[in-house]
Amino acid sequence: MTPDAWDPADPAPWADESVGAQAPLDGDTTADVVVVGAGLTGLWAAYYLLDADPSLDVLLVDRGLTGQDERGLGACSSRVGLAPDALARRFGDAAARDARALLRDAVVEVGGVVAVEEIDCGFAFGGELLVAADDVALGRMLAAAHDAAAWGDEVHALDAAGVRERFGSDDVRGGSWSPDAARLSPGRLARGLRDVVLARGGRSVDHTPVVQAGAGAVLTTHGTVRAGIVVDTRPGGAPAEQAATIATAPLPAATWAAIGLERAELVAHSDGLRLVRTPDDRLVAGRARSGGSRAARLLDALSRRRASAPALHEALVDLLPALGEAPVTHAWRRPLAHPGALPQVTVLEEAPWRVARARSGGTGPAAANVAGRAVAELLTGSSSEWTAAPWVTHA
């Protein structure tokens, strides 16, 4: 695929249109729980609801395809939009430590569910490598590594040689590594969760746009679903910025020997690149928010819509010259989390109905797990560290 043929509307490599679509809603119906949105947050909510009470009649409603959560980067990380010190300023020190523990546990929880349910999504614990290309970024990373223990995090500061042992780029001043991250195929994870939910008696309807979701009912273009509990997982607020993302063809062993990432580490580079080695040995590169003295120039280039994928490829090859001849097979745009994004869970009591909103904040599979698990526990009457998280509110 040449740069002039890259279409940002193309699917990611883990999209699978061959999976059987569920039929659209066919007129009015009822359920115990209706979950609006069948991305990862909605699927986790349905999974934990049925785990807590297998007798529940849970219905997932999606405007697209259930389990087609395929536009992510493939990174399952405990890092979210707010650093621990920023969490502390918003919620207090104790709540920040609790929040960090929940996010670390969520990565482990995703891996545990994948193993128990035998979901083939290429999940692999490799940790996350932060790479600094200039002194400003390096100072920020080293300071965060120094403070990490105070928040319960394990972060190891690395000099340039330490980074290069894991990642084959000369554009390195140093960085840090944390074990609390894994790579996976988000599409295969979503489809695996869908299959588990359906096998446990859950239902889903596809290609059913929702007009309104409120107390006791969800109004769609195909009929009305009446339910005692409504869980709305659709993104809220302003539309998310779209980030350029590309994937290479599966790379040969010699190329991977030059790149590194033998343990499937995630990479976040200070120039605004995020890299993931996929289960089938592609390299996925995506734009991310960044800092450091060179970031503004690069992000300005990447933000130009028509040139974003070619500019991203140019930056990738500049960072990793071994990719100069590697073909790019996929180019797409993925939602970029808003600055400071966190999971959000809100429960509204409107007797005799309950309405809940659960959102990942656009910060990846771990945050989706946190939101889905918390809302399920709240709705089934459980009380735990998940329901006491600082991003859980009651109205």
Side-chain angles (χ1 to χ4, degrees):
M1 179 185 290
T2 59
D4 58 358
W6 292 343
D7 182 353
D10 284 347
W14 33 70
D16 187 357
E17 297 293 342
S18 67
V19 297
Q22 306 298 303
L25 184 65
D26 184 17
D28 297 347
T29 189
T30 62
D32 295 325
V33 183
V34 57
V35 179
V36 179
L40 283 176
T41 302
L43 288 164
W44 281 121
Y47 174 84
Y48 288 114
L49 283 165
L50 289 168
D51 189 59
D53 186 352
S55 69
L56 285 175
D57 179 16
V58 177
L59 175 64
L60 287 150
V61 179
D62 199 272
R63 66 179 181 178
L65 293 176
T66 303
Q68 278 292 80
D69 203 323
E70 83 288 354
R71 300 193 73 82
L73 194 65
C76 183
S77 172
S78 67
R79 288 200 309 136
V80 293
L82 284 180
D85 57 345
L87 280 170
R89 287 193 295 272
R90 181 180 293 188
F91 301 115
D93 288 1
R97 282 190 289 271
D98 291 343
R100 291 299 310 141
L102 288 176
L103 289 163
R104 293 191 303 270
D105 288 348
V107 179
V108 178
E109 173 73 3
V110 172
V113 172
V114 164
V116 169
E117 304 295 353
E118 300 182 338
I119 297 173
D120 180 16
C121 64
F123 186 96
F125 277 111
E128 188 161 21
L129 184 66
L130 306 189
V131 179
D134 56 65
D135 290 337
V136 174
L138 179 59
R140 186 176 65 250
M141 291 178 191
L142 295 181
H146 178 270
D147 296 340
W151 308 109
D153 292 326
E154 179 184 349
V155 181
H156 302 271
L158 300 173
D159 60 14
V163 173
R164 291 192 187 105
E165 288 179 1
R166 297 173 177 269
F167 181 56
S169 173
D170 292 331
D171 195 11
V172 169
R173 297 298 299 273
S176 64
W177 177 81
S178 167
D180 299 311
R183 70 96 196 270
L184 51 75
S185 165
R188 284 159 55 186
L189 171 62
R191 290 189 291 275
L193 285 173
R194 174 208 60 191
D195 292 345
V196 173
V197 166
L198 296 179
R200 294 187 177 182
R203 297 182 288 146
S204 69
V205 290
D206 291 344
H207 302 301
T208 304
V210 169
V211 178
Q212 184 176 352
V218 171
L219 176 63
T220 82
T221 56
H222 291 66
T224 299
V225 184
R226 301 196 179 279
I229 298 174
V230 174
V231 181
D232 191 349
T233 69
R234 295 172 297 175
E241 180 184 355
Q242 297 292 303
T245 314
I246 59 177
T248 70
L251 300 174
T255 304
W256 280 116
I259 296 173
L261 308 185
E262 293 182 359
R263 305 176 184 87
E265 298 96 331
L266 312 178
V267 174
H269 194 275
S270 64
D271 272 357
L273 298 179
R274 294 206 71 190
L275 309 177
V276 179
R277 181 176 182 172
T278 69
D280 60 349
D281 284 335
R282 301 174 187 269
L283 184 69
V284 170
R287 170 191 165 192
R289 302 188 190 279
S290 64
S293 59
R294 304 189 313 183
R297 173 172 51 83
L298 178 62
L299 289 181
D300 178 66
L302 294 180
S303 66
R304 296 196 297 270
R305 186 174 183 86
R306 288 192 302 174
S308 59
L312 175 61
H313 181 252
E314 181 180 348
L316 178 62
V317 173
D318 184 59
L319 180 66
L320 296 168
L323 295 172
E325 301 301 321
V328 170
T329 57
H330 298 74
W332 71 101
R333 304 185 76 84
R334 74 184 200 285
L336 195 63
H338 294 290
L342 290 172
Q344 298 175 16
V345 177
T346 303
V347 176
L348 297 87
E349 299 281 356
E350 300 187 34
W353 303 290
R354 305 184 78 186
V355 178
R357 299 190 182 101
R359 293 161 183 154
S360 70
T363 52
N369 176 269
V370 164
R373 184 172 182 179
V375 77
E377 291 198 4
L378 286 164
L379 294 173
T380 54
S382 299
S383 179
S384 70
E385 63 271 22
W386 301 91
T387 60
W391 43 71
V392 174
T393 58
H394 298 262

